Amino acid sequence: MSAPWMMVLASLLFATMGVCVKLASAHYATGEIVFYRGLTGVLLMWGFARWQGGTLRTSLASMHFWRSLSGVTALCLWFYAIGNLPLATAMTLNYMSSVWMALFLVGGAIMLGSQRVDGRLIATILLGFAGVGLILRPTIEQDQLWHGLIGLLSGMISATAYLQVTALGRAGEPEFRIVFYFSCGGIAAGALTTLWTGITPHRTLEGPALLLAVGLLATVAQLLMTRAYGTGRTLVNASLQYLGIAFAFVYGVLLFDERITWMSLAGMVLIVAAGLGASLLRSRAAPADATQSTFEG
């Protein structure tokens, strides 16, 4: 399968995973969903590593720890937002990670005293946050500002996880090993949350089926997206990745009867434009091994 088609399929799978997360949120706490998503990912990556003849042993345990910490935190926040916001809104706020990366680049340049700060990056940042303002306005009117801010924070922390993924890729870690230890982090974080929320019994087959679907969809989509970024053109991949928002919008309208206002739609368009602009500028400046996805599905 070519890289563009892998991106389209990955975006569809991530949006479908969002549907399953939203449905599972009616039965389970966010931490439990993260736990089962991690458990499924660990089993799949263990099998994948054996099939590929690879090993899960690593000499970069500390790097994997910090990558998992930021990635799992972003994942927990994002799953929480999906359970409490319209699906397309939660998806869009998580896709702000590219804009956050642009903000980090500008902030780093200022802190280092660089005389040249790329004005185009500043423009993408302003465009992205204008989109955030339009998206969060309806959530304020519906008393969902807290959930909206959680979704926004998930995108910011996803951007920090990108730094660790890039560093691990440069160190020669294969994608299955990165996903494996990320999934281990999900198991640990999810198990810890059950100390406060308790463990929900599986009363019907629907609940376990949804949890299994979340893990399968997320892991397969993550591998497809990582492979696409490793073999395809960065800007093409970034453009197709935003199809996830369109898929989520259709799912939300058809399955959950969600009504997206014109203000939210305008905000989504601005965030997509800002994300594409930031991806283009970053791809021109970043080395080839730094083009992996920032998505923490």
Side-chain angles (χ1 to χ4, degrees):
M1 189 183 298
S2 64
W5 281 112
M6 282 193 285
M7 283 302 304
V8 172
L9 180 56
S11 299
L12 176 61
L13 293 180
F14 272 128
T16 308
M17 180 208 70
V19 172
C20 295
V21 170
K22 197 168 186 68
L23 293 172
S25 296
H27 306 283
Y28 304 96
T30 299
E32 291 180 281
I33 300 174
V34 171
F35 172 83
Y36 288 108
R37 181 257 178 269
L39 181 61
T40 306
V42 163
L43 295 175
L44 286 175
M45 289 303 96
W46 176 79
F48 185 79
R50 287 182 61 87
W51 177 60
Q52 292 283 320
T55 177
L56 295 172
R57 293 180 181 177
T58 181
S59 59
L60 304 171
S62 62
M63 293 180 66
H64 280 288
F65 171 79
W66 291 112
R67 179 268 184 275
S68 296
L69 180 63
S70 57
V72 171
T73 301
L75 184 68
C76 291
L77 295 174
W78 187 50
F79 279 9
Y80 176 85
I82 288 177
N84 293 277
L85 289 172
L87 184 58
T89 299
M91 185 77 74
T92 306
L93 291 174
N94 188 267
Y95 272 101
M96 271 287 291
S97 55
S98 293
V99 180
W100 284 113
M101 279 300 302
L103 180 61
F104 294 161
L105 289 173
V106 171
I110 294 175
M111 290 180 63
L112 293 174
S114 175
Q115 295 181 351
R116 295 185 59 185
V117 176
D118 196 332
R120 295 171 298 177
L121 277 177
I122 295 177
T124 63
I125 294 168
L126 294 176
L127 190 67
F129 280 100
V132 169
L134 289 174
I135 284 181
L136 291 185
R137 178 64 183 274
T139 68
I140 295 174
E141 295 174 353
Q142 299 171 19
D143 297 324
Q144 292 182 321
L145 178 60
W146 168 252
H147 307 312
L149 293 177
I150 290 295
L152 185 62
L153 184 60
S154 75
M156 184 183 72
I157 300 178
S158 290
T160 65
Y162 165 85
L163 301 175
Q164 282 93 25
V165 171
T166 301
L168 285 165
R170 291 177 181 173
E173 290 290 85
E175 62 247 25
F176 68 82
R177 197 179 297 159
I178 297 174
V179 176
F180 174 81
Y181 286 107
F182 168 66
S183 299
C184 288
I187 292 176
L192 284 175
T193 63
T194 60
L195 298 177
W196 288 271
T197 63
I199 300 175
T200 304
H202 303 299
R203 296 186 176 88
T204 65
L205 290 178
E206 179 186 1
L210 287 171
L211 294 173
L212 178 61
V214 169
L216 288 174
L217 292 167
T219 304
V220 174
Q222 210 168 25
L223 282 175
L224 284 172
M225 190 169 287
T226 302
R227 178 67 66 182
Y229 269 94
T231 59
R233 296 183 178 181
T234 301
L235 187 59
V236 173
N237 288 329
S239 301
L240 294 174
Q241 183 175 342
Y242 283 99
L243 283 174
I245 295 176
F247 291 138
F249 175 80
V250 173
Y251 276 141
V253 172
L254 295 180
L255 300 180
F256 303 109
D257 196 27
E258 294 174 350
R259 297 183 179 181
I260 307 296
T261 66
W262 70 265
M263 194 175 293
S264 294
L265 283 175
M268 291 177 190
V269 171
L270 291 181
I271 288 176
V272 170
L276 288 175
S279 297
L280 174 61
L281 295 172
R282 194 174 71 244
S283 67
R284 290 176 175 176
D289 62 354
T291 56
Q292 298 186 53
S293 167
T294 65
F295 203 85
E296 296 295 340

